[in-house]
Amino acid sequence: MRYNPKKHHLPIFEASGILPVDKPAGWTSFDVVNFVRSRFNIPKVGHCGTLDPAATGLLILVLNKFTSFSDKLSGDDKCYQATLRLGVETTSYDLDGEIVAEKELSGITESLVRETLAAFTGEQMQLPPMVSAVKVGGKKLYELARKGVEVEREARPVVISQIDVSRIALPDVDFTMTCSKGTYVRTLCHDIGAKLGCGGVLTALRRIRSGSFTLDKAITVDALKNMEQDALADHVNALLVGFSKGWK
């Protein structure tokens, strides 16, 4: 059923501002937007930077008049915690896709892994995965992928400014990375696996920062489920003070 604010049992939520949410696994970014809009009767809600359903972490929502900041905030650099699994390739570059290859890790050492990840820092061209929301010829790639159609994609410029490896327990590698808008961590894991010659997929992803917003400022979906409309307005207004001071 289409959302109609005038037929909601709550009055229209009129506060404008920014709401950082800790997105749970299994929810799409739109699921979070739709939940907040419907739960609190907010006429306009947008998000700044899509997270895949399996990913968790910081999703910036903009409410009412602040939806005008969506493009600006979406363009901010992002920081992620991720886990790469070597020796596997899938159609989607993560565990949601079908396995297309499995390879041994003979010759793959910790020093080689660290050296390879470090080589992916800096400006580079990255090819979007077929299972993504990028449009080609007016069609989203994931729509074509569902039909078994693979099309040529144009590589896009991205910047990976930092990669820090925190744990290597082969076949798994945990790392934290900072990157520009539009960077696909799934593609990075695929490309690292290709460089090493053994294949690689993303098995876990958590966004911990977007621009000057950090995950510790985010509210969980469970907390929102138990929050009253007035409490949300107070929460958003308090965050707005921080935003106006440069989020310090």
Side-chain angles (χ1 to χ4, degrees):
M1 183 180 294
R2 189 175 181 86
Y3 165 70
N4 186 339
K6 293 182 179 179
K7 294 184 178 181
H8 203 284
H9 70 281
L10 290 175
I12 291 176
F13 186 93
E14 296 182 347
S16 296
I18 296 172
L19 180 65
V21 175
D22 187 349
K23 188 189 85 65
W27 286 51
T28 67
S29 298
F30 180 74
D31 287 339
V32 179
V33 168
N34 190 51
F35 163 73
V36 170
R37 181 176 58 201
S38 300
R39 169 73 177 80
F40 298 100
N41 197 20
I42 307 174
K44 297 177 67 177
V45 181
H47 71 79
C48 309
T50 302
L51 280 173
D52 288 338
T56 66
L58 185 61
L59 182 70
I60 303 296
L61 301 190
V62 280
L63 313 181
N64 291 326
K65 293 179 180 179
F66 266 63
T67 53
S68 62
F69 289 102
S70 180
D71 287 344
K72 180 181 183 301
L73 295 175
S74 295
D76 287 338
D77 285 356
K78 314 291 192 299
C79 185
Y80 298 93
Q81 292 174 338
T83 299
L84 157 69
R85 179 163 298 162
L86 296 172
V88 182
E89 294 180 7
T90 70
T91 53
S92 60
Y93 303 168
D94 61 15
L95 294 181
D96 289 337
E98 296 181 8
I99 295 176
V100 295
E102 295 183 83
K103 300 179 182 179
E104 296 293 330
L105 300 185
S106 57
I108 305 299
T109 64
E110 180 174 327
S111 60
L112 179 59
V113 170
R114 291 183 181 276
E115 179 183 324
T116 303
L117 265 73
F120 278 89
T121 57
E123 297 182 10
Q124 55 202 273
M125 301 298 290
Q126 190 184 71
L127 194 67
M130 269 303 301
V131 183
S132 67
V134 173
K135 288 186 177 181
V136 173
K139 296 286 187 179
K140 292 180 179 179
L141 288 177
Y142 70 78
E143 294 174 339
L144 297 172
R146 286 172 181 169
K147 298 176 181 178
V149 177
E150 183 165 351
V151 297
E152 286 191 20
R153 292 98 73 195
E154 289 188 7
R156 299 180 168 196
V158 299
V159 178
I160 299 175
S161 54
Q162 188 172 356
I163 299 179
D164 295 315
V165 177
S166 56
R167 183 184 73 101
I168 297 179
L170 294 176
D172 292 335
V173 181
D174 294 339
F175 63 95
T176 301
M177 62 175 286
T178 303
C179 57
S180 63
K181 170 190 176 182
T183 303
Y184 281 93
V185 186
R186 286 184 286 138
T187 297
L188 173 66
C189 289
H190 172 82
D191 292 347
I192 290 170
K195 184 75 172 179
L196 288 167
C198 61
V201 295
L202 176 71
T203 63
L205 183 67
R206 185 161 176 79
R207 184 188 288 161
I208 59 174
R209 182 178 64 77
S210 180
S212 57
F213 297 92
T214 52
L215 186 58
D216 62 324
K217 299 293 193 301
I219 188 169
T220 66
V221 167
D222 284 342
L224 288 169
K225 289 178 180 178
N226 296 306
M227 182 176 282
E228 298 298 328
Q229 194 183 55
D230 289 347
L232 179 64
D234 291 341
H235 181 74
V236 169
N237 288 331
L239 291 174
L240 188 57
V241 173
F243 175 74
S244 65
K245 292 181 179 179
W247 204 252
K248 296 180 180 179

